[in-house]
Amino acid sequence: YWVGGEPLMYDIRWWALEEMVRNGSSKNCYLRYNSNLSRVTYNGKNLFDYLPHFKDWLMCASIDGTGEIVEFVRKGIKWDQWLDNFKQGLYSPGGDTRMLFDLTITGPGMFSLKDLFDLSIALDVRMETKIMFAFHADIVMSPFAWPRHILDRKINELLDYMKPLATPKQYTLIKTLEEMLNRPTFAEQWPDVHETEFKKGKSYQDKLDIIRKEKITIADIYAEDTELS
């Protein structure tokens, strides 16, 4: 089970793949990856040349959205390169059943969930879905920092679009969105402190955006919704 950090950045992981293929132990080994899939090559070696030599494998490719939004959420990712890397795996032998979207729902990512859902349908790719952790009310990247009525409206808009089109491969996304309708927002969890904590979290995020020299900011993304902007 290769997980990170980022496993595809480890020298020893590439050495292990080559050694296991060389000595024949690969045929007895099942590989599972959690990877941001920002690279699939190393010193002229391609990950998907090795994987068919193993007993079986699964790639859980971490993703939070599409385009500029995912590039904002997941600093350093290049969307076009990520998608090309994913498709290399998808179109490799057996990749159509072994490549999946490992989705984490964030506040900014809510604005590209429709595009990611459409991509899952177009590529016929399974999704696994979870929500970003948030143990305090200052985590402004969480959709639960939003007011209840805005969160519910956005979720219901997504569900109205997705449910008629979804296949079993998008099941976890649909179920997670439905569960979010019954999960307390920060205002409901921390009614006495959420406003103060939100301001503190927003100030921190604004500073991060300056340090990271983002092309877009969380404010730019949220400007798409007049009630959030």
Side-chain angles (χ1 to χ4, degrees), residues 94-126:
D96 57 333
T97 60
R98 294 176 174 88
M99 299 289 295
L100 61 88
F101 291 163
D102 189 4
L103 167 64
T104 300
I105 294 178
T106 67
M110 291 282 284
F111 287 84
S112 62
L113 276 190
K114 178 179 175 292
D115 291 338
L116 195 64
F117 171 86
D118 288 344
L119 184 62
S120 173
I121 294 285
L123 297 179
D124 195 26
V125 168
R126 180 161 64 96

Side-chain angles (χ1 to χ4, degrees), residues 69-111:
I69 289 178
V70 73
E71 290 179 358
F72 168 78
V73 175
R74 192 172 286 268
K75 180 66 174 178
I77 197 171
K78 302 300 181 186
W79 169 246
D80 290 343
Q81 183 63 61
W82 186 95
L83 187 56
D84 181 72
N85 291 344
F86 188 90
K87 287 179 178 179
Q88 285 186 52
L90 186 66
Y91 301 139
S92 67
D96 57 333
T97 60
R98 294 176 174 88
M99 299 289 295
L100 61 88
F101 291 163
D102 189 4
L103 167 64
T104 300
I105 294 178
T106 67
M110 291 282 284
F111 287 84

Side-chain angles (χ1 to χ4, degrees), residues 2 7 10-23 42 45 50 54:
W2 291 104
Y10 299 161
D11 289 343
I12 194 171
R13 193 211 61 85
W14 291 94
W15 172 86
L17 281 186
E18 190 158 347
E19 177 63 16
M20 292 179 74
V21 171
R22 185 195 65 77
N23 66 31
Y42 178 78
K45 305 168 186 175
Y50 289 97
F54 285 78

Side-chain angles (χ1 to χ4, degrees), residues 132-148 151 183-195 197-198:
M132 69 172 293
F133 292 116
F135 302 107
H136 306 282
D138 61 352
I139 310 299
V140 296
M141 289 284 286
S142 170
F144 293 100
W146 299 1
R148 175 90 265 168
L151 180 62
R183 183 167 168 171
T185 64
F186 292 169
E188 293 163 340
Q189 283 185 275
W190 299 291
D192 296 331
V193 300
H194 83 276
E195 287 191 18
E197 291 297 296
F198 177 83

